[in-house]
Amino acid sequence: MDTVRIFDTTLRDGEQSPGASLNRAEKIEIARQLETLGVDIIEAGFPITSNDDFEAVKTIAGELGRATVCGLSRCVAADVDRAGEAVKNAAHGRIHVFCATSKIHLEHKFKKAFDEIVKISVDHIERARGFVDDVEFSPEDASRTELNHLVEITGAAIDAGATTINLPDTVGYATPEEYGRIFSYLREQLPVIDAKGIILSAHCHNDLGLAVANSLAAAMNGARQIECTINGIGERAGNASLEEVVMAMNTRGDYYDLTTKIKTKEIYRTSRMVSKLTGLDVQRNKAIIGENAFAHEAGIHQDGILKERTTYEIMDPRDVGIPESKLVLGKHSGRHAFRARIEELGYSVDDAAVDRLFTKFKALADRKKNVYDEDIEALLESDLDSASRTDLWSLAYLQVNGGTHPIATATVTITDSSGETRTDASTGDGPIDAIYSAIQRITGVTAELTDYQIRAVTGGKDAMGEVRVELRHHDTRVRGRGVSTDVIEASALAYLAAINRLRSLDYRTAEAASTAHP
Ligand code: KIV
Ligand code: ZN
C-alpha cells in the first residue's frame, strides 16, 4: 500500500472560515494535538498577514519535532522572507508559495500575461529555496487553469526547486473525474514528476460538496499528499475534511489501496478541540464525528446492531476515539485526577495553568455536583481564550434588574489592561440588550449582534450555560463565547470576548495593510 501524506491546513485555510480566528495560544494547542494525531505537515499560518500569525508559526515551528511545519507565502519577496524567518527553527520546515494561474484570475486579478506569472513564480520558489529545501508550489485555481499552462508552470516550478506541487480546486468547481484526470495528465506529460519523486498534492474546497470525493479521485491518480482540515472548516463551504478522507481510505482500503499515518483514535478528540476553540459547531449528521454519526434510531437498525454491530455500522466508533463512557469528576477529585483528565482530553498544560484551572474547577464543583468532560473543556477554552491576549477588557462586576418588566437595567464594571475600571449602566429591551448597551458605552465599540446562541454544556439543572455570539463590525465578523453557571454572566462574557477579538483583529488588519500586495 502506498502512503498518502496528510497536510493539515486547519490553522491556515481553516482559520479563514468567517468568524473563526484563533489566538496564538489556541493555535499552539491545536498544533500539538495535530502532531499527536499524526499529520505529516501542519500549515500553521500565513506569516506576512500579522505579527500574531508570524509568532504562532514561529512558536509551532520551534516546538514540534516530528511534523513538518509550513508557512504560506504569496509570490512577493517580503512574504517569502517572513515565512522563511518563521519556519527557520523548525526541525522540518516548509514554505508554501502560491500564485494564481487561471485565465479568469490573470485577467481580472493580476492583469498579467501567463509568461509573467511563470517568471514571478520561478523567482519566488528560488527565493524560498534560499531558506529551506522543502518548497511547495500551488498554481492557485489550478482546476480552472488550461492544462497546457498547468504543465508549463509545473515543469518550471520543479526546475526552480519545488518539491511538492499542489493543484488546488480553489473554488470547489471540479468533479472527481475531471480533477483526477489533471493528476494523471500531468504525470503523463512530465515524467520528471515520478522520476524525481516530486509529490503531487490535492487541495479541494467544498462548494459543491465534492471536496472529499475530489481529493480521493486525485489520490487514485497519483496524488500522494492531501490537504485538508479538521471538521472540514475553511473558506466558504470549507475544505476537504481530514476525518472523512482518512476514514474513507481506512475503511475502504480494499478499494483505495492507500494508507496514511493518522492515528485514527485521536480523531474525535482533535475534532472536539477544533470545534471548541474555533467556535464552529459540528453539524449533528456530519460523517465520522457528528453526534448522530453512530446513533441508531430506527427499531430495525437497533435490533440489527444488538445482534451484530456490523449490520449497520461500517466503522467502529472506538476506532475514531469516540469515548464509550464519560468519567465524572466532583468536588472530592484531586489535582492529580484533574490534570490526568485534561491530558486525556488532548490538552497540554503547564503547572501554572493547572493551578489556575484547578481553582476554577473547585469553584465549579462547589456549584454543581458532577463535573463532566464538557465542563472541563469549557474551562480550558476560556483559559486559552485569554492566555495570549494582554490587551483585554475584562468583566469585573455585573448587576441586572429585569424580571417580567420589558425594560431591564444593567450595571457593568469593566477593567482594562492597565487595571483601570469603568462602570456604566444602561436600560434595554430585556437583560441581554441592557448589558450589551452598557458594555458598548464603556468600551466605545459598537458592533451589530448577528447571532446569539445559548445552550447547556451538559445535562441537569445545575449545568453550565454556554453563550456564543457573533458580532459584525463593518466587514469583519467575530465570534465570542462565555461560560458560567449563570447564563446572564455567560452572555456578558461572550460579548466581551467578541469585542476583545475585534480589537485584536483591528491590529492585525492594520499590520496586514502595511504589507499589502504591490
Ligand atoms: O484554495 C487555494 O487555492 C489555497 C491556496 C493558497 C493553496 O488555499
Ligand atoms: Zn484553499
Side-chain angles (χ1 to χ4, degrees), residues 9 12-13 16 43 140 166 168-171 203-205 227 235-236 238-239:
T9 182
R12 200 278 300 168
D13 223 342
Q16 286 174 220
E43 187 163 55
E140 191 192 7
N166 179 46
D169 182 27
T170 303
V171 289
H203 176 113
C204 299
H205 282 270
E227 304 200 352
E235 281 279 8
R236 307 180 310 278
N239 288 61

Side-chain angles (χ1 to χ4, degrees), residues 191-220:
V192 63
I193 292 175
D194 289 337
K196 269 195 169 177
I198 301 294
I199 300 292
L200 291 186
S201 163
H203 176 113
C204 299
H205 282 270
N206 208 26
D207 299 66
L208 292 173
L210 292 171
V212 171
N214 285 340
S215 305
L216 293 168
M220 290 300 271

Side-chain angles (χ1 to χ4, degrees), residues 330-351:
K331 69 175 172 188
H332 300 297
S333 305
R335 201 171 179 284
H336 185 69
F338 177 66
R339 183 179 199 141
R341 197 69 208 123
I342 291 179
E343 283 166 2
E344 276 160 32
L345 288 170
Y347 291 79
S348 43
V349 275
D350 57 22
D351 290 343

